[in-house]
């Protein structure tokens, strides 16, 4: 059906992408593949002790949150580590949707423990917190030193971190295979993050048993985050249209769509089209939950090598400016728009405007998700994909656009201001983005049905 986009200045091809020859242009002519070592399968969490010992770890800082720490999976990991003769120092106060304050507290704990390795058991918040703690305990610096520009200085991490084994308990964030740590910067009321290959966990143990007891809303939100990872990476600006780095070692992780990331994106989208609805509606459907977790792993590897774009950039403002929305199935301690929800609420509006950049690719993505694209012409691509996404949102119980989580058109300018600092993501979009476009897209995201 659709073919990868081609650059008229290019001279060679890889995976359907044309590349510049001998760097005659200012665009990049190569892409880099990075990935964590991954073990996937039911029961694999029991391997964590042996895995940590093989890495030479003798004292572990074990990160989790209060809810996960009360579950059997946390006991499984703790027991495995101790059975391997490893000293375990638990930190179970990780905040869901972490902030700069919670990152600082975790880093202070890590510095005090003298751990020579890290294990994280939980969702993306837990894994990201362990990444940040490892970073600041290993290479102390002013907090904003490593934070993405323009919020922080984006100083490169000066050296390797200590071993980190990530054990995800949700099927969505992909944090176990990426070098990204996201948090709320309280002073800005917006999300930002730290991005460096050094943050990528050393290993990931992906055990589908961890998702068997997840509430339906959590499965839906995390699964839609997976969908967004795959869809945004697949439609991102091609790597061959990105400016060549000053030095090869400075090539960004968000390097754009490439032949490697496309493989994971397509398969993740196909799996979600088949299994996401089943995984949400029937907790006893272990096949569906396992396949959604595999899709999360594939999409995580993909976006860790390609990068996401507009829906995620917009989502950070949506989550950061929430007023009083409290979703079912999440801790009712404070207002919260779960990450996957905040992303998908923007997605239909975004893909209506990005579709003209590559209609075939957008139609192919819709087809992988299960949309009927027979008879569709390029001009239909945005509508076909957006309407299919809206159908998925309704099926798994998402709110009706941003209005469903408490926003109105009067908030669009503030949301655009909140999304604007996400330049790493906005620059990965297939279209040029300014605040006016963001404002209008937020308005188009307020209500879908």
């Amino acid at each position: 059906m659709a073919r990868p986009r081609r650059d008229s200045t290019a001279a060679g091809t890889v995976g359907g992408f044309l590349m510049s020859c001998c760097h005659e242009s200012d665009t990049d002519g190569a892409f880099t593949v990075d990935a964590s070592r991954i073990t996937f399968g039911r029961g694999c969490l029991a391997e964590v002790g042996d895995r940590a010992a093989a890495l030479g770890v003798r004292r572990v800082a074990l990160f989790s949150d209060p809810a996960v720490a009360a579950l059997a999976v946390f006991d499984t990991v703790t027991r495995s580590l101790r059975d391997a003769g490893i000293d375990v120092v638990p930190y179970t106060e990780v905040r869901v949707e972490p902030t700069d304050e919670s990152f600082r507290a975790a880093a202070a704990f890590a510095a005090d423990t003298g751990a020579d390795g890290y294990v994280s058991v939980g969702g993306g918040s837990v894994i990201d917190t362990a990444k940040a703690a490892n970073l600041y305990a290993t290479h102390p610096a002013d907090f904003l030193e490593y934070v993405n520009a323009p919020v922080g200085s984006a100083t490169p991490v000066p050296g390797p971190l200590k071993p980190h084994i990530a054990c995800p308990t949700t099927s969505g964030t992909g944090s176990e295979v990426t070098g990204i740590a996201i948090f709320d910067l309280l002073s800005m009321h917006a999300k930002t993050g730290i991005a460096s290959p050094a943050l990528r966990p050393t290993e990931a143990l992906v055990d589908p048993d961890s998702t068997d007891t997840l509430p339906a809303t959590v499965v839906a939100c995390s699964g839609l985050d997976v969908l967004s990872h795959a869809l945004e990476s697949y439609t991102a600006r091609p790597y061959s249209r990105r400016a060549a780095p000053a030095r090869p070692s400075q090539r960004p992780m968000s390097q754009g769509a490439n032949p490697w990331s496309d493989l994971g994106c397509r398969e993740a989208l196909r799996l979600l089209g088949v299994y996401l609805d089943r995984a949400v509606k029937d907790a006893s459907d272990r096949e569906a939950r396992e396949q959604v977790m595999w899709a999360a792993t594939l999409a995580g590897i993909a976006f860790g090598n390609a990068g996401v774009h507009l829906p995620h950039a917009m989502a950070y403002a949506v989550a950061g400016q929430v007023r009083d929305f409290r979703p079912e199935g999440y801790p009712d301690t404070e207002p919260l728009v779960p990450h996957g929800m905040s992303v998908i609420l923007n997605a239909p509006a975004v893909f209506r405007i990005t579709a003209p950049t590559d209609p075939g690719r957008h139609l192919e993505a819709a087809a992988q998700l299960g949309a009927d694209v027979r008879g569709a012409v390029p001009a239909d691509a945005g509508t076909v994909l957006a309407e299919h996404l809206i159908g998925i949102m309704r099926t798994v119980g998402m709110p009706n656009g941003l209005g469903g989580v408490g926003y109105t058109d009067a908030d669009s300018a503030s949301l655009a201001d909140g999304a604007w600092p996400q330049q790493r993501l906005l620059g990965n979009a297939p279209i040029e983005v300014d605040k006016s476009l963001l404002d209008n897209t937020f308005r188009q995201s307020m209500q879908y049905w």
Side-chain angles (χ1 to χ4, degrees):
M1 188 188 299
R3 304 306 304 165
R5 282 163 294 190
R6 298 175 181 269
D7 190 331
S8 61
T9 66
T13 65
V14 169
F17 288 82
L18 282 173
M19 303 180 298
S20 57
C21 178
C22 304
H23 294 285
E24 292 177 354
S25 72
D26 293 331
T27 57
D28 207 347
F31 61 94
T32 297
V33 175
D34 282 319
S36 302
R37 179 175 184 174
I38 298 166
T39 300
F40 184 97
R42 292 191 177 276
C44 72
L45 285 185
E47 299 181 12
V48 67
D50 183 60
R51 297 286 186 182
L55 291 169
V57 175
R58 293 295 175 260
R59 182 174 173 84
V60 156
L62 175 58
F63 280 72
S64 195
D65 63 44
V68 173
L71 301 177
V73 292
F74 187 79
D75 290 338
T76 297
V77 170
T78 303
R79 185 170 56 254
S80 178
L81 290 166
R82 288 177 174 157
D83 287 349
I86 296 171
D87 186 20
V88 179
V89 187
Y91 183 82
T92 59
E93 300 305 314
V94 170
R95 175 190 169 101
V96 176
E97 302 295 334
T99 66
D100 55 321
E101 288 184 357
S102 71
F103 270 12
R104 291 172 197 262
F109 163 83
D112 289 342
T113 65
D116 58 2
Y118 293 77
V119 172
S120 52
V121 184
S125 296
V126 171
I127 299 171
D128 284 2
T129 299
K131 292 175 183 176
N134 191 358
L135 170 61
Y136 287 101
T138 307
H139 301 292
D142 179 77
F143 184 76
L144 291 178
E145 190 71 20
Y146 300 120
V147 174
N148 296 333
V151 175
S153 300
T155 300
V157 175
L161 305 187
K162 292 181 172 63
H164 175 194
I165 300 176
C167 306
T169 58
T170 61
S171 49
T173 69
S175 183
E176 68 275 8
V177 291
T178 73
I180 303 166
I182 301 298
F183 64 95
D184 284 310
L185 186 60
L186 295 175
S187 62
M188 291 183 60
H189 301 287
K191 285 186 181 289
T192 184
I194 306 165
S196 169
L199 266 65
R200 183 178 284 108
T202 314
E203 295 194 29
L205 297 179
V206 185
D207 188 341
D209 283 348
S210 303
T211 69
D212 286 346
T213 58
L214 288 178
T217 303
V218 175
V219 175
C221 291
S222 58
L224 291 170
D225 191 22
V226 177
L227 190 158
S228 297
H229 290 155
L231 192 49
E232 291 174 55
S233 296
Y234 197 60
T235 58
R237 182 175 300 181
Y239 79 93
S240 54
R241 293 184 184 176
R242 178 171 293 284
R247 300 200 315 270
S249 60
Q250 294 178 340
R251 182 172 292 117
M253 290 188 301
S254 295
Q255 60 190 321
N258 59 77
W260 168 259
S261 62
D262 280 359
L263 295 172
C265 292
R266 282 194 292 263
E267 180 63 3
L269 292 170
R270 186 191 70 80
L271 290 171
L272 293 169
V274 175
Y275 293 107
L276 179 57
D277 182 32
R278 286 170 48 182
V280 170
K281 292 184 176 177
D282 185 359
S284 67
D285 191 339
R286 302 183 84 224
E287 178 192 19
R289 292 208 167 182
E290 180 170 332
Q291 292 300 315
V292 170
M293 199 163 199
W294 179 234
T297 303
L298 293 172
I301 296 170
F303 95 84
N305 285 275
V308 290
H309 58 85
L310 270 169
H312 267 75
M314 295 169 68
Y316 296 147
V318 172
Q321 297 180 29
V322 60
R323 289 188 281 268
D324 54 17
F325 183 74
R326 286 176 165 82
E328 181 182 350
Y330 285 81
D332 191 20
T333 55
E334 59 187 347
L336 169 71
V337 181
H339 175 63
M341 181 183 292
S342 67
V343 172
I344 201 66
L345 294 180
N346 305 298
V350 166
F351 291 110
R352 288 187 192 276
I353 62 172
T354 61
T357 66
D358 194 332
R361 184 163 278 240
H362 285 68
L363 283 173
E364 183 174 6
Q368 293 289 352
L369 282 169
D372 184 357
V373 300
R374 291 174 297 180
V377 298
D380 300 329
T383 298
V384 169
L385 180 54
E387 291 301 317
H388 192 68
L389 291 175
I390 291 167
I392 292 173
M393 290 168 60
R394 300 186 71 170
T395 297
V396 300
M398 288 296 102
N400 183 6
L402 297 179
V405 297
Y407 291 105
T408 70
D409 284 351
D411 298 310
S412 63
S414 175
L415 289 169
D417 287 341
W420 187 245
Q422 310 303 324
Q423 291 297 313
R424 179 178 62 88
L425 307 184
L426 298 177
N428 208 37
I431 56 175
E432 296 301 318
V433 179
D434 57 22
K435 280 192 181 180
S436 175
L437 183 142
L438 286 170
D439 188 322
N440 182 62
T441 310
F442 276 120
R443 288 175 182 270
Q444 298 303 314
S445 302
M446 290 294 166
Q447 183 174 343
Y448 293 121
W449 62 84

